[in-house]
Amino acid sequence: MKTDIILAGVGGQGILSIATILGAASLKENLYIKQAEVHGMSQRGGDVQSNLRLSSSPIASDLIPLGGADIIVSLEPMEALRYLPYLKPDGWVVTSTAPFVNIPDYPDMGAIEAELAALPHVVAFDMDAVAKEVATVRSSNMVLLGAASPFIELSGEVIEEAIRTIFGAKGEKIVNSNLEAYRAGRSRVNK
C-alpha cells in the first residue's frame, strides 16, 4: 500500500486538520507516514499545502515529486489546479467548487470549472453547501475528507475513529458534527 496525497487550500479552511486525522488513522493501521506542510500564510488567507505520504513500507522522503501524487484533495478549486503538475496521469482530484476569493484578480470561475471538468478523474462539488446542510460550514473540511476517503487506502471506520480522537477534547457535539459532515461527503462519491 502506498498513497501520496497533496492537501491544498487557503489558511483557516482546516486542511491541516485533515492531515492530522489521516495521520492518526494511518498510525492506527501501523502504516508509515511522512508529512511536509507549508502553512506560513495561513493567517492571511494564503496558500496552505501539505504533502502526506502513507505506505506499508518505509518512506524515504516527505516530499511528493512532480507527477507522483495519487490524489489532490482541496477545499479551494483554484488551489486544486495549482498542484496539477504533481498529479499522476491516473490520479484523482477531489475539490470543493466553492471559491475562496482572496485576491483581486481571482480567475473566472467558469474557466476553473471547465479545467476541472476536463480532468479524467475528478470529484467536484460545493463542500460548503453540503456542510451547511448537515452540520456547519466550519465542517467543510470533513465533507472534503469524506469525499476523498474512497480514494485513500484506509477504512472508513479507522478514519471515523481518528475524527473521534482528534476532536474528542472539544466535546461530543463537535465530534458528532464532524462525523456527520464526513459521512455526508463520503455518501456523495460513487467509487
Side-chain angles (χ1 to χ4, degrees):
M1 178 270 185
K2 182 177 108 19
T3 305
D4 287 341
I5 306 165
I6 300 278
L7 297 165
V10 173
Q13 288 186 308
I15 291 300
L16 300 179
S17 293
I18 293 173
T20 301
I21 290 165
L22 289 175
S26 297
L27 292 174
K28 186 75 174 168
E29 292 287 310
N30 294 314
L31 296 174
Y32 292 90
I33 179 172
K34 291 266 187 175
Q35 180 184 2
E37 55 193 47
V38 176
H39 57 91
M41 297 297 290
S42 63
Q43 292 184 4
R44 292 189 290 275
D47 175 34
V48 176
Q49 179 263 346
S50 179
N51 284 235
L52 187 61
R53 306 187 82 186
L54 315 174
S55 179
S56 53
S57 56
I59 304 165
S61 172
D62 54 355
L63 296 178
I64 298 169
L66 290 172
D70 297 294
I71 182 172
I72 293 172
V73 178
S74 181
L75 261 172
E76 211 293 323
M78 183 181 75
E79 294 300 328
L81 296 177
R82 179 192 308 259
Y83 294 100
L84 284 181
Y86 288 90
L87 191 64
K88 288 180 178 176
D90 63 343
W92 280 84
V93 173
V94 179
T95 186
S96 181
T97 56
F100 186 95
V101 181
N102 58 348
I103 55 175
D105 56 347
Y106 191 92
D108 175 66
M109 269 310 294
I112 290 174
E113 289 169 354
E115 195 166 342
L116 287 170
L119 296 172
H121 306 291
V122 64
V123 172
F125 61 90
D126 187 338
M127 308 285 172
D128 292 351
V130 174
K132 285 180 195 174
E133 283 175 26
V134 299
T136 166
V137 74
R138 290 183 51 90
S139 60
S140 295
N141 62 334
M142 292 300 104
V143 174
L144 177 66
L145 176 58
S149 64
F151 307 99
I152 301 169
E153 295 182 59
L154 294 169
S155 75
E157 295 79 24
V158 171
I159 294 173
E160 286 194 16
E161 185 178 331
I163 291 170
R164 285 185 192 92
T165 300
I166 299 304
F167 292 110
K170 294 185 177 189
E172 191 172 329
K173 183 177 178 183
I174 299 295
V175 169
N176 290 334
S177 175
N178 282 290
L179 286 170
E180 275 187 68
Y182 166 80
R183 291 172 186 149
R186 190 170 176 104
S187 73
R188 282 168 172 74
V189 178
N190 296 322
K191 182 184 183 248

